[in-house]
Amino acid sequence: MQTPFISHISPVVIPDFVGVGYQCRFDPELFTAQSAEQLGIEFPESLHRAVTKRQAEFIAGRYLAKRCLVALGCSETQVRISQHRAPLWPVGMTGSISHSNNRAVCIVQPLEIAEQGIGIDIEQRMTDSTANSVKSTIINDAEYNLIMNHYVSFAEGLTAVFSAKESLFKALYPQVKAYFDFLDAEVVAMGRENLTLVLRKRLTANLSAGSAFTVHLQQQEEMVQAFTQS
């Protein structure tokens, strides 16, 4: 069963991804206290006092996760919250959830065919003022030059890099189980459809400095979506 606050549900298509993904739009103004129950999603106690938008985006993401798990034949379809607010996937599954600007996306893959981790991120394009105010926390000078060589709009390019690094964090979190900084991964090659990130510090015994990852990018109107698998 669906509720009016979720609409435009469609599959996610990603190159080289063997799994299931869905995306949707959601309207927080149409979200009600009954929406989670109508969708069969457990509503965590920790979100009872959250603002409506946060509640709506959580339920939208978990609903997409449920659809993915059902499509994969998983009997357990609830995705609870683990450490650092990361999704706690049912045994045998791994996935990633993201939301931005009233859009949500989720991908899920069985562990038997998965790499160490998968990460997806969706972001609304930054404004010029926001991009200029946060750039020093996201990129170094070499990355700035790459962006300016490949994008007419710095804000658009920085949004793509930000999303790419977010997707990398999500893909690596199952191994690292800790936060790491945006500047701990550097863009060394960039295109409109993909870019390459290289770790600049050792994160685990198997994730040494110099480890490289390809991130797939998709531009969608004023949004950018990034996908990484480790």
Side-chain angles (χ1 to χ4, degrees):
M1 179 180 181
Q2 297 184 28
T3 66
F5 97 95
I6 291 180
S7 64
H8 297 83
I9 301 171
S10 62
V12 173
V13 179
I14 301 172
D16 303 322
F17 174 63
V18 182
V20 175
Y22 286 103
Q23 57 191 339
C24 73
R25 298 187 183 187
F26 62 93
D27 186 346
E29 293 186 1
L30 298 179
F31 180 82
T32 70
Q34 290 74 44
S35 295
E37 181 179 357
Q38 290 170 342
L39 294 170
I41 305 299
E42 293 181 3
F43 195 67
E45 181 70 28
S46 60
L47 286 182
H48 283 185
R49 296 185 179 181
V51 298
T52 301
K53 186 177 188 302
R54 171 58 184 144
Q55 294 177 339
E57 66 188 17
F58 177 89
I59 297 301
R62 262 33 182 204
Y63 174 65
L64 293 180
K66 178 180 179 179
R67 288 184 65 119
C68 291
L69 291 166
V70 168
L72 290 168
C74 186
S75 59
E76 175 57 60
T77 60
Q78 299 295 330
V79 180
R80 297 174 176 86
I81 303 174
S82 66
Q83 187 182 19
H84 291 153
R85 299 194 303 173
L88 182 60
W89 297 97
V91 175
M93 296 289 172
T94 188
S96 184
I97 302 171
S98 183
H99 33 68
S100 177
N101 192 34
N102 297 354
R103 298 192 186 188
V105 61
C106 176
I107 54 173
V108 181
Q109 191 176 56
L111 281 171
E112 63 185 19
I113 62 172
E115 302 291 337
Q116 288 292 329
I118 54 178
I120 197 163
D121 185 75
I122 187 169
E123 301 289 340
Q124 182 178 17
R125 186 180 302 172
M126 297 180 191
T127 64
D128 291 339
S129 60
T130 296
N132 287 320
S133 67
V134 302
K135 64 182 180 182
S136 63
T137 65
I138 300 171
I139 58 171
N140 59 30
D141 290 343
E143 291 173 300
Y144 174 83
N145 291 332
L146 273 176
I147 289 173
M148 298 310 294
N149 286 335
H150 289 86
Y151 284 86
V152 174
S153 163
F154 172 66
E156 181 183 359
L158 185 64
T159 304
V161 172
F162 176 84
S163 189
K165 293 189 178 186
E166 283 282 341
S167 73
L168 179 66
F169 169 79
K170 293 177 180 181
L172 298 186
Y173 180 80
Q175 299 174 71
V176 181
K177 296 192 182 303
Y179 290 111
F180 53 91
D181 193 82
F182 283 112
L183 297 175
D184 291 334
E186 180 180 357
V187 180
V188 297
M190 172 177 278
R192 297 285 297 187
E193 297 182 355
N194 57 69
L195 57 78
T196 302
L197 284 169
V198 172
L199 295 182
R200 289 311 182 204
K201 66 177 288 187
R202 179 180 179 272
L203 299 179
T204 70
N206 296 322
L207 292 170
S208 59
S211 298
F213 304 89
T214 298
V215 182
H216 295 284
L217 300 172
Q218 293 182 9
Q219 309 289 336
Q220 304 174 351
E221 300 174 357
E222 293 298 308
M223 311 292 291
V224 61
Q225 178 179 288
F227 166 76
T228 307
Q229 55 185 355
S230 52

